[in-house]
Amino acid sequence: MSVRKSTCVVLAAVPQGVPGPEIFTVATEEVGDPGPGEALVQVSDLSLDPYLRTTLVGRHLDDPVVPIGGVIPGRAVGQVVASADPSLPAGSWVLGETGWREYALLPTTQLRPIAVPDGVPRSAALGALGMPGLTAYAAVQRHLRPVAGDTVVVGSATGGVGSVAGPLAKLAGARTVALVGDDAKAKTAVQTLGYDAAVVRTAPDWIEQLAAACPDRINGYLHMGDAQTLEVVMESLAVGARVSLCGLMDQTNGGPRTMLRAGAVMAARAVVHGMVVYDHFDLAAEQVEHVAGLLRTGQLHLHEDRYQGLASAPEAFARLMSGRNHGKVVVQVAALD
């Protein structure tokens, strides 16, 4: 049996508040050959996602807490380099829960072969064609249900979910307004992602900017921000508004509970949905087909914030969790053909 050395990233300290790169450390582990029903995968592109912050302390659904010294969980695109399962031979491109590591030995039942349209990077399977894309698609189709003439506001509008949700709402005929954290993101939202307007929520007059951008109030809101943002938007809802609660970044980082303004919901006769993407896997095939078509025709832009090398993952994650990312965060672990 051969054994190879594989670089990985492990948890060094339990995070308090917004995590910094110092809570991680780079380590080395040994990986053996695949046994029956297993495959050895070399990671190409690793996805970094906000939900990982809650897995580190055991607060993400039923996922176990990550122990000190444990490899950080994570989803990646990779290539099978050795396989003991003829249904998934060496050379196959797959998506799987590899964790933050160079090589992962996994049961083939936990790996999904991937294919992307010509001209679209395989990393799209981690973003627009993956879980963030499905989150956006389900939120728009099932929760926000935009129609022509609606105004739809999207929080974290240039991130992995927002960069898909905004264009989908616009294609449905809505006026789309991006909520972002800085001027550079505002420019990207309008010029690259096609939002009709962008509001920088850190600006002193952002509440006035939001009102000006939404003169007929807000018909649909995809929330992926902090409690203050939610509070302001809820007071700006139009009658019959639909809200999808998708991400609570400040709470994810250990902040106080986010409270919903019941009076604002009542006044708007609004419907508020809780978004958990696992409830919408029945839409996955439809979402991939639809979004792949938009990527192929250029109606949707694959917006990624890319980092090079597994050692960059801790800093990339810290930037993501402090809102400094500019797109879906992807770490290129290895440049594979």
Side-chain angles (χ1 to χ4, degrees):
M1 177 178 178
S2 62
V3 175
R4 72 177 70 211
K5 299 290 187 179
S6 173
T7 302
C8 59
V9 177
V10 303
L11 187 66
V14 177
Q16 303 293 328
V18 179
E22 69 279 355
I23 71 166
F24 306 103
T25 190
V26 177
T28 302
E29 61 182 358
E30 295 184 343
V31 183
D33 294 328
E38 292 183 329
L40 180 64
V41 177
Q42 184 177 9
V43 173
S44 172
D45 291 300
L46 173 67
S47 175
L48 303 191
D49 299 283
Y51 81 87
L52 292 174
R53 168 65 175 80
T54 54
T55 68
L56 302 182
V57 291
R59 291 194 290 109
H60 185 257
L61 302 177
D62 294 326
D63 291 347
V65 62
V66 178
I68 300 298
V71 175
I72 308 302
R75 184 175 298 110
V77 167
Q79 190 171 35
V80 175
V81 295
S83 175
D85 185 342
S87 70
L88 199 65
S92 301
W93 283 93
V94 294
L95 178 72
E97 299 292 335
T98 63
W100 292 15
R101 45 169 54 99
E102 280 187 293
Y103 291 89
L105 187 62
L106 294 169
T108 55
T109 54
Q110 297 179 16
L111 297 170
R112 179 170 65 83
I114 62 167
V116 295
D118 291 341
V120 176
R122 292 188 182 93
S123 58
L126 302 172
L129 298 180
M131 202 77 77
L134 178 58
T135 302
Y137 188 81
V140 171
Q141 293 293 321
R142 289 181 166 168
H143 293 174
L144 305 185
R145 304 187 309 280
V147 296
D150 277 355
T151 294
V152 171
V153 174
V154 178
S156 300
T158 62
V161 175
S163 61
V164 177
L168 288 177
K170 184 168 183 177
L171 286 169
R175 170 179 167 77
T176 52
V177 178
L179 283 178
V180 294
D182 58 47
D183 291 333
K185 291 181 180 180
K187 183 177 180 180
T188 296
V190 174
Q191 297 185 2
T192 302
L193 300 178
Y195 280 89
D196 293 293
V199 174
V200 180
R201 56 176 176 74
T202 53
D205 63 340
W206 80 272
I207 297 176
E208 291 77 13
Q209 287 186 37
L210 181 64
C214 307
D216 297 320
R217 302 180 73 82
I218 296 167
N219 305 102
Y221 174 49
L222 181 58
H223 178 70
M224 293 181 288
D226 59 14
Q228 181 195 20
T229 302
L230 179 62
E231 185 171 296
V232 169
V233 173
M234 294 301 289
E235 293 292 347
S236 304
L237 296 179
V239 173
R242 289 84 60 197
V243 176
S244 183
L245 300 177
C246 183
L248 306 173
M249 185 63 83
D250 50 350
Q251 191 169 314
T252 299
N253 280 326
R257 290 184 178 180
T258 298
M259 307 299 289
L260 193 64
R261 295 183 71 87
V265 175
M266 294 169 65
R269 292 73 147 179
V271 176
V272 180
H273 300 270
M275 165 51 71
V276 176
V277 68
Y278 306 117
D279 296 337
H280 303 281
F281 279 159
D282 62 303
L283 287 178
E286 174 186 318
Q287 173 258 330
V288 169
E289 180 180 5
H290 183 71
V291 173
L294 298 178
L295 289 170
R296 189 167 49 245
T297 59
Q299 292 174 279
L300 187 69
H301 177 79
L302 186 65
H303 188 51
E304 294 183 333
D305 191 359
R306 295 186 65 85
Y307 296 80
Q308 300 297 317
L310 188 59
S312 70
E315 176 62 28
F317 188 69
R319 290 180 60 84
L320 168 65
M321 296 309 297
S322 60
R324 291 176 290 153
N325 62 301
H326 286 257
K328 171 72 187 80
V329 180
V330 176
V331 175
Q332 185 180 68
V333 178
L336 305 178
D337 295 332

